[in-house]
Amino acid sequence: MMAGAGEDARALFGAGVRAALEAWPALQIAVENGFGGVQSQEKAEWLGGAVEDYFIRNADLELEEVEDFLGELMTNEFDTVVEDGTLPQVSQQLRTMFQHFQKGDMAALREMASHITQRKSKVTATALETARGPDDRGDTDSVEEMEVTATTGATTESICPQLEASDPNPQTIKEEDIVEDGWTIVRRKK
Protein backbone atom coordinates (compact mmCIF):
# COMPACT_ATOMS: atom_id res chain seq x y z
CA MET A 1 0.00 0.00 0.00
CA MET A 2 1.40 3.40 -0.95
CA ALA A 3 1.74 6.08 1.73
CA GLY A 4 -0.95 8.29 0.20
CA ALA A 5 -3.38 5.38 -0.06
CA GLY A 6 -2.68 4.42 3.57
CA GLU A 7 -3.42 7.95 4.73
CA ASP A 8 -6.64 8.03 2.70
CA ALA A 9 -7.67 4.67 4.15
CA ARG A 10 -6.98 5.87 7.67
CA ALA A 11 -9.00 9.04 7.08
CA LEU A 12 -11.87 6.94 5.73
CA PHE A 13 -11.67 4.63 8.75
CA GLY A 14 -11.66 7.66 11.07
CA ALA A 15 -14.74 9.08 9.32
CA GLY A 16 -16.49 5.72 9.74
CA VAL A 17 -15.65 5.62 13.44
CA ARG A 18 -17.04 9.12 13.92
CA ALA A 19 -20.20 8.26 11.97
CA ALA A 20 -20.81 5.19 14.15
CA LEU A 21 -20.28 7.17 17.35
CA GLU A 22 -22.48 10.06 16.18
CA ALA A 23 -25.28 7.58 15.42
CA TRP A 24 -24.98 5.93 18.86
CA PRO A 25 -28.09 6.86 20.91
CA ALA A 26 -26.33 6.55 24.29
CA LEU A 27 -23.62 9.01 23.25
CA GLN A 28 -26.17 11.38 21.68
CA ILE A 29 -28.15 11.53 24.93
CA ALA A 30 -24.99 12.00 27.01
CA VAL A 31 -23.85 14.92 24.85
CA GLU A 32 -27.28 16.58 24.53
CA ASN A 33 -27.81 16.50 28.27
CA GLY A 34 -24.29 17.52 29.24
CA PHE A 35 -23.45 14.32 31.11
CA GLY A 36 -19.79 15.06 30.38
CA GLY A 37 -20.03 18.57 31.76
CA VAL A 38 -19.83 21.79 29.77
CA GLN A 39 -17.34 20.19 27.40
CA SER A 40 -19.56 17.25 26.42
CA GLN A 41 -19.42 18.06 22.70
CA GLU A 42 -15.63 18.38 22.76
CA LYS A 43 -15.38 15.07 24.62
CA ALA A 44 -17.57 13.39 21.98
CA GLU A 45 -15.29 14.72 19.22
CA TRP A 46 -12.20 13.57 21.13
CA LEU A 47 -13.82 10.16 21.61
CA GLY A 48 -13.76 9.55 17.84
CA GLY A 49 -10.01 10.06 17.68
CA ALA A 50 -9.40 8.02 20.82
CA VAL A 51 -11.38 5.05 19.44
CA GLU A 52 -9.61 5.30 16.06
CA ASP A 53 -6.19 5.31 17.77
CA TYR A 54 -7.21 2.40 20.00
CA PHE A 55 -7.92 0.25 16.95
CA ILE A 56 -4.72 1.32 15.15
CA ARG A 57 -2.57 0.50 18.21
CA ASN A 58 -4.31 -2.86 18.86
CA ALA A 59 -4.61 -4.71 15.57
CA ASP A 60 -6.32 -7.90 16.77
CA LEU A 61 -9.12 -6.85 19.13
CA GLU A 62 -11.87 -9.13 20.35
CA LEU A 63 -15.44 -7.80 20.52
CA GLU A 64 -15.42 -7.88 24.34
CA GLU A 65 -12.27 -5.73 24.43
CA VAL A 66 -13.91 -3.10 22.24
CA GLU A 67 -17.07 -3.16 24.40
CA ASP A 68 -15.00 -2.78 27.57
CA PHE A 69 -13.04 0.12 26.10
CA LEU A 70 -16.16 1.99 24.91
CA GLY A 71 -17.97 1.31 28.18
CA GLU A 72 -15.03 2.60 30.19
CA LEU A 73 -14.83 5.77 28.08
CA MET A 74 -18.56 6.42 28.53
CA THR A 75 -18.27 5.91 32.29
CA ASN A 76 -15.14 8.01 32.73
CA GLU A 77 -15.97 10.85 30.33
CA PHE A 78 -19.78 11.05 30.53
CA ASP A 79 -20.63 9.42 33.90
CA THR A 80 -22.84 7.05 31.91
CA VAL A 81 -23.23 3.29 32.18
CA VAL A 82 -24.59 1.99 28.87
CA GLU A 83 -27.06 -0.82 29.51
CA ASP A 84 -29.46 -0.31 26.60
CA GLY A 85 -28.03 -3.08 24.44
CA THR A 86 -26.33 -0.73 21.96
CA LEU A 87 -22.77 -1.17 23.26
CA PRO A 88 -22.24 -4.59 21.59
CA GLN A 89 -23.84 -3.32 18.39
CA VAL A 90 -21.64 -0.23 18.11
CA SER A 91 -18.58 -2.28 19.07
CA GLN A 92 -19.32 -4.77 16.31
CA GLN A 93 -19.79 -1.98 13.75
CA LEU A 94 -16.45 -0.48 14.70
CA ARG A 95 -14.70 -3.83 14.64
CA THR A 96 -16.14 -4.68 11.21
CA MET A 97 -15.03 -1.29 9.85
CA PHE A 98 -11.54 -1.90 11.19
CA GLN A 99 -11.42 -5.31 9.52
CA HIS A 100 -12.33 -3.66 6.19
CA PHE A 101 -9.61 -1.08 6.84
CA GLN A 102 -7.02 -3.80 7.55
CA LYS A 103 -7.92 -5.67 4.35
CA GLY A 104 -7.75 -2.46 2.34
CA ASP A 105 -11.42 -2.86 1.33
CA MET A 106 -12.16 0.85 1.05
CA ALA A 107 -15.37 0.31 -0.94
CA ALA A 108 -16.90 -1.77 1.88
CA LEU A 109 -15.67 0.72 4.49
CA ARG A 110 -17.10 3.66 2.54
CA GLU A 111 -20.43 1.84 2.06
CA MET A 112 -20.67 0.94 5.75
CA ALA A 113 -19.96 4.52 6.88
CA SER A 114 -22.51 5.84 4.39
CA HIS A 115 -25.13 3.33 5.57
CA ILE A 116 -24.61 4.30 9.21
CA THR A 117 -24.87 8.01 8.40
CA GLN A 118 -28.09 7.51 6.41
CA ARG A 119 -29.75 5.51 9.18
CA LYS A 120 -28.63 7.78 12.02
CA SER A 121 -31.47 8.33 14.47
CA LYS A 122 -32.10 11.37 16.58
CA VAL A 123 -32.55 10.41 20.22
CA THR A 124 -33.72 12.79 22.91
CA ALA A 125 -34.22 12.54 26.64
CA THR A 126 -36.65 14.94 28.27
CA ALA A 127 -37.65 15.39 31.89
CA LEU A 128 -41.18 14.30 32.77
CA GLU A 129 -43.44 16.13 35.19
CA THR A 130 -44.53 13.72 37.92
CA ALA A 131 -47.54 14.02 40.15
CA ARG A 132 -46.47 14.59 43.74
CA GLY A 133 -48.48 13.80 46.79
CA PRO A 134 -48.68 16.00 49.90
CA ASP A 135 -45.81 14.03 51.48
CA ASP A 136 -43.45 14.81 48.59
CA ARG A 137 -43.37 18.62 48.86
CA GLY A 138 -40.37 18.85 51.17
CA ASP A 139 -38.36 16.10 49.51
CA THR A 140 -34.94 17.47 48.53
CA ASP A 141 -33.75 14.14 47.12
CA SER A 142 -36.31 14.08 44.33
CA VAL A 143 -35.99 11.72 41.42
CA GLU A 144 -36.22 13.15 37.94
CA GLU A 145 -37.83 10.82 35.44
CA MET A 146 -36.57 10.82 31.87
CA GLU A 147 -38.41 9.91 28.70
CA VAL A 148 -36.28 8.56 25.87
CA THR A 149 -37.58 8.75 22.31
CA ALA A 150 -36.03 8.11 18.92
CA THR A 151 -36.94 9.59 15.58
CA THR A 152 -35.41 8.85 12.21
CA GLY A 153 -36.12 8.92 8.51
CA ALA A 154 -35.52 5.18 8.35
CA THR A 155 -36.43 2.53 10.88
CA THR A 156 -34.77 2.72 14.26
CA GLU A 157 -34.53 -1.05 14.38
CA SER A 158 -31.40 -1.07 12.21
CA ILE A 159 -29.51 1.16 14.67
CA CYS A 160 -31.08 0.35 17.98
CA PRO A 161 -33.35 -2.72 17.76
CA GLN A 162 -34.68 -2.32 21.30
CA LEU A 163 -36.19 1.09 20.50
CA GLU A 164 -39.50 0.23 18.91
CA ALA A 165 -40.61 3.02 16.58
CA SER A 166 -44.23 1.87 16.66
CA ASP A 167 -44.45 1.86 20.47
CA PRO A 168 -46.55 4.85 21.56
CA ASN A 169 -45.29 4.64 25.18
CA PRO A 170 -41.56 5.54 25.32
CA GLN A 171 -39.24 4.06 27.91
CA THR A 172 -39.24 5.82 31.29
CA ILE A 173 -37.07 5.64 34.37
CA LYS A 174 -38.94 4.76 37.55
CA GLU A 175 -38.01 5.83 41.08
CA GLU A 176 -37.28 2.23 42.09
CA ASP A 177 -34.60 2.09 39.36
CA ILE A 178 -32.37 4.55 41.23
CA VAL A 179 -29.82 2.66 43.30
CA GLU A 180 -28.00 3.89 46.40
CA ASP A 181 -24.84 5.19 44.72
CA GLY A 182 -26.78 7.49 42.38
CA TRP A 183 -26.69 5.32 39.25
CA THR A 184 -29.89 4.75 37.33
CA ILE A 185 -30.89 1.33 36.02
CA VAL A 186 -32.54 1.64 32.63
CA ARG A 187 -34.78 -1.29 31.76
CA ARG A 188 -36.33 -2.13 28.45
CA LYS A 189 -40.10 -1.94 28.39
CA LYS A 190 -41.75 -5.33 27.82
Side-chain angles (χ1 to χ4, degrees):
M1 199 185 293
M2 296 190 320
E7 290 172 13
D8 291 343
R10 170 109 187 229
L12 187 57
F13 173 65
V17 167
R18 284 164 184 75
L21 293 176
E22 288 170 7
W24 189 13
L27 183 57
Q28 284 181 19
I29 290 171
V31 171
E32 281 181 15
N33 292 287
F35 294 170
V38 294
Q39 298 172 336
S40 290
Q41 185 60 48
E42 290 82 6
K43 285 183 179 183
E45 291 167 10
W46 167 83
L47 189 67
V51 170
E52 179 185 347
D53 289 343
Y54 178 69
F55 275 97
I56 299 298
R57 283 183 277 120
N58 301 287
D60 192 23
L61 292 168
E62 295 295 323
L63 183 60
E64 295 80 22
E65 293 173 303
V66 177
E67 286 179 35
D68 289 346
F69 180 71
L70 287 178
E72 187 175 309
L73 285 174
M74 288 296 289
T75 300
N76 293 340
E77 301 301 326
F78 295 98
D79 292 327
T80 302
V81 176
V82 181
E83 293 181 339
D84 65 353
T86 59
L87 189 58
Q89 182 182 7
V90 172
S91 299
Q92 183 59 52
Q93 286 175 339
L94 293 170
R95 192 165 169 256
T96 301
M97 278 192 273
F98 187 65
Q99 290 168 343
H100 291 312
F101 168 74
Q102 285 179 312
K103 293 177 189 171
D105 191 353
M106 297 306 105
L109 185 55
R110 197 173 289 113
E111 180 181 330
M112 194 171 177
S114 174
H115 180 75
I116 290 169
T117 302
Q118 289 173 359
R119 296 203 176 263
K120 180 180 171 180
S121 72
K122 179 71 174 159
V123 179
T124 58
T126 54
L128 294 175
E129 295 280 331
T130 57
R132 297 195 177 274
D135 297 340
D136 294 337
R137 277 183 254 155
D139 185 14
T140 57
D141 293 333
S142 66
V143 174
E144 182 176 348
E145 291 188 12
M146 301 293 281
E147 178 180 271
V148 179
T149 57
T151 58
T152 181
T155 62
T156 56
E157 293 159 4
S158 62
I159 295 170
C160 191
Q162 68 283 358
L163 290 177
E164 298 175 17
S166 61
D167 186 5
N169 298 321
Q171 183 179 24
T172 59
I173 298 173
K174 306 267 187 272
E175 189 168 341
E176 62 269 10
D177 291 339
I178 307 296
V179 292
E180 270 183 41
D181 60 359
W183 291 99
T184 302
I185 300 169
V186 178
R187 292 189 175 94
R188 189 170 141 191
K189 209 171 197 181
K190 304 262 183 219

